[in-house]
Amino acid sequence: MKQFPKSLHQKLQQREANNALRKLSLPNDLIDFASNDYIGFAQNETIFHDTHQLLLDKNIKVNGATGSRLLSGNHLLYQEAEAFIANFQKTEASLIFNSGYDANVGFFSAVPQRNDIILYDELCHASIRDGIQMSNAKSYKFQHNDLEDLEKRLRQAQSDNRINEVYIVTESVFSMDGDSPDLEKMVQLSEKYHSYLVVDEAHALGVFGQQGEGLIQSLGLQNNVFARIMTFGKGLGCHGAAILGNEVLKSYLVNFARSFIYTTGLSPHSVAAIRVAYQHLENEKRTLEKLKGNIIHFNQEKVRLGLKPLFVYSKSAIQCAIIPGIERVKTIANQLQEKGFDVKPILSPTVPEGQERLRFCLHSYNSEKEISDCLELLSTFVFENN
């Protein structure tokens, strides 16, 4: 066997020298401030049993899809789940993908065409940027949540007769900051400049809205957005994703999205879990209210303890304290973990150098005491490590 390529080995060594080498870790028994399981659906035993029962009721006793959805993998549960999702999300059609990454890569590599322009927020998720890189369209980033910068670029695009279509891309809740754009004004801009607005709702599903339907729908903007990407591995507690839009968009993606066409479909069990989790959203008002209360309590405690200047402004379940320096942020994270709180450091290059942070993910099952105790420890450790 040949030796490992020297250039790759050097990159690993450099990452290790910077104390930023990523490693896999096993689950722990610490108090959870790290997972994306915002409303506890991933560990919900009722959803687990209901999913199994749904398969039994439909006499589905297979372990896999057996092929791509265009060949042998498009089992009946797919059709039922997509219809349920479309109805719940108040959209014409939905198309399930194997993951949020697959959905974004599939959409952005297939939909924008040559002579189109993609204008995307500079902090958009890696899956969006990877899909954009695979597109034949030209792309330009605009400053984070800066609608003046976006409008300037829209004006430039409008004045260029060589451009056919313009796509505006953002997230309703940004995964590394927890903040949100002014979506109502963004809709106004998209309509003013006759462009197509695409919104990734990965961290809004299960968090915002009366039934956890996401931020776009809670604002009543679902008919003003060209496409929504809903990811199920966060608030919904299962796996997969769906792209929401009209029937023509769905047909186009079935025909041209390579990450949909050339992959084995999800197993019946995975699709059943999506269907059941969506059904449970309809009856989880108390759980959603508990999460919203915890978000309010977290923000109040930041103020009480003098920690607010450290944090990115956020009213979502993602709260990030900027603590520059890999060594410093890892030290504080380790101290919190030693006290029983699972808080993870986010390091460069995941975030820009100098923007390293502690990322607190809030859940409906966190208690107010856990939140207060964790932030009091953070306050102590931050001042000790100055």
Side-chain angles (χ1 to χ4, degrees):
M1 181 178 176
K2 291 184 178 181
Q3 292 183 342
F4 195 70
K6 184 178 179 181
S7 60
L8 304 187
H9 189 65
Q10 288 174 340
K11 292 182 75 172
L12 280 174
Q13 287 180 318
Q14 185 61 51
R15 186 66 63 84
E16 191 165 20
N18 292 337
N19 198 20
L21 186 68
R22 297 184 176 104
K23 296 180 181 180
L24 298 174
S25 59
L26 294 173
N28 56 58
D29 295 325
L30 303 179
I31 295 168
D32 184 8
F33 284 105
S35 81
N36 293 324
D37 188 24
Y38 301 124
I39 52 176
F41 273 22
Q43 51 195 312
N44 186 302
E45 291 187 15
T46 303
I47 292 176
F48 181 87
H49 292 301
D50 286 355
T51 298
H52 181 63
Q53 190 61 49
L54 177 61
L55 294 170
L56 292 179
D57 291 345
K58 293 184 175 296
N59 197 30
I60 297 174
K61 299 176 182 178
V62 295
N63 298 317
T66 76
S68 76
R69 289 185 65 185
L70 288 168
L71 295 177
S72 60
N74 192 41
H75 42 82
L76 182 63
L77 276 174
Y78 262 121
Q79 295 179 1
E80 293 181 357
E82 287 174 344
F84 190 94
I85 292 167
N87 181 64
F88 182 92
Q89 301 283 185
K90 295 183 179 179
T91 188
E92 191 173 307
S94 73
L95 183 66
I96 293 176
F97 283 71
N98 285 15
S99 70
Y101 190 95
D102 285 331
N104 276 327
V105 168
F107 181 93
F108 291 105
S109 64
V111 174
Q113 301 293 296
R114 195 178 305 278
N115 297 325
D116 291 346
I117 290 289
I118 306 169
L119 302 177
Y120 66 99
D121 190 293
E122 62 181 345
L123 296 188
C124 275
H125 191 266
S127 59
I128 294 173
R129 290 185 279 113
D130 286 355
I132 288 172
Q133 285 186 335
M134 297 168 67
S135 170
N136 288 321
K138 290 184 178 180
S139 60
Y140 303 93
K141 59 187 177 184
F142 58 90
Q143 294 175 24
H144 180 51
N145 288 343
D146 188 333
L147 298 191
E148 290 184 3
D149 189 42
L150 171 59
E151 184 166 20
K152 180 181 73 174
R153 294 188 178 278
L154 285 167
R155 284 198 300 267
Q156 291 170 345
Q158 190 180 57
S159 65
D160 190 339
N161 294 327
R162 296 168 297 177
I163 295 172
N164 291 331
E165 310 291 355
V166 177
Y167 294 86
I168 302 170
V169 186
T170 190
E171 301 179 26
S172 57
V173 177
F174 283 85
S175 61
M176 287 299 128
D177 283 49
D179 58 349
S180 300
D182 187 331
L183 291 165
E184 291 170 316
K185 288 185 178 179
M186 194 166 278
V187 162
Q188 292 172 8
L189 283 177
S190 71
E191 293 175 347
K192 177 180 178 181
Y193 291 94
H194 308 289
S195 54
Y196 295 94
L197 180 59
V198 182
V199 183
D200 186 317
E201 290 240 74
H203 293 276
L205 180 63
V207 178
F208 288 93
Q210 293 296 314
Q211 294 183 312
E213 64 270 18
L215 197 50
I216 288 291
Q217 195 171 330
S218 72
L219 295 171
L221 300 175
Q222 63 270 13
N223 294 327
N224 306 98
V225 174
F226 178 61
R228 285 176 281 169
I229 294 92
M230 315 300 293
T231 301
F232 307 143
K234 280 79 175 174
L236 215 61
C238 45
H239 193 66
I243 296 178
L244 313 181
N246 61 31
E247 288 286 357
V248 182
L249 175 62
K250 179 175 181 176
S251 178
Y252 181 87
L253 292 170
V254 167
N255 280 276
F256 294 100
R258 294 170 70 86
S259 63
F260 175 87
I261 298 167
Y262 299 108
T263 190
T264 299
L266 289 171
S267 70
H269 185 277
S270 293
V271 181
I274 294 168
R275 166 72 183 272
V276 170
Y278 255 109
Q279 288 175 314
H280 274 258
L281 272 183
E282 294 182 318
N283 301 306
E284 290 291 336
K285 185 172 184 179
R286 183 177 298 178
T287 303
L288 296 172
E289 289 301 320
K290 181 63 167 63
L291 174 60
K292 292 171 184 176
N294 281 345
I295 294 170
I296 292 170
H297 181 68
F298 192 98
N299 279 304
Q300 290 173 339
E301 290 295 88
K302 286 189 309 192
V303 174
R304 180 178 72 85
L305 295 165
L307 292 169
K308 186 177 179 181
L310 292 180
F311 280 83
V312 179
Y313 177 81
S314 168
K315 290 187 177 181
S316 76
I318 300 171
Q319 304 281 332
C320 291
I322 307 298
I323 301 176
I326 290 175
E327 292 286 348
R328 184 166 180 248
V329 73
K330 288 184 75 172
T331 295
I332 295 174
N334 288 336
Q335 289 176 314
L336 289 170
Q337 290 164 18
E338 288 170 0
K339 294 294 185 180
F341 297 95
D342 193 11
V343 179
K344 293 292 196 294
I346 307 297
L347 313 176
S348 56
T350 301
V351 293
E353 187 174 353
Q355 290 290 306
E356 292 82 11
R357 63 197 61 192
L358 292 175
R359 184 172 182 259
F360 296 81
C361 292
L362 306 180
H363 312 92
S364 59
Y365 50 84
N366 290 134
S367 70
E368 290 190 355
K369 185 178 186 304
E370 289 171 347
I371 292 170
S372 297
D373 289 349
C374 187
L375 287 179
E376 285 174 2
L377 286 169
L378 174 65
S379 178
T380 300
F381 298 148
V382 162
F383 295 122
E384 283 180 354
N385 287 277
N386 267 342

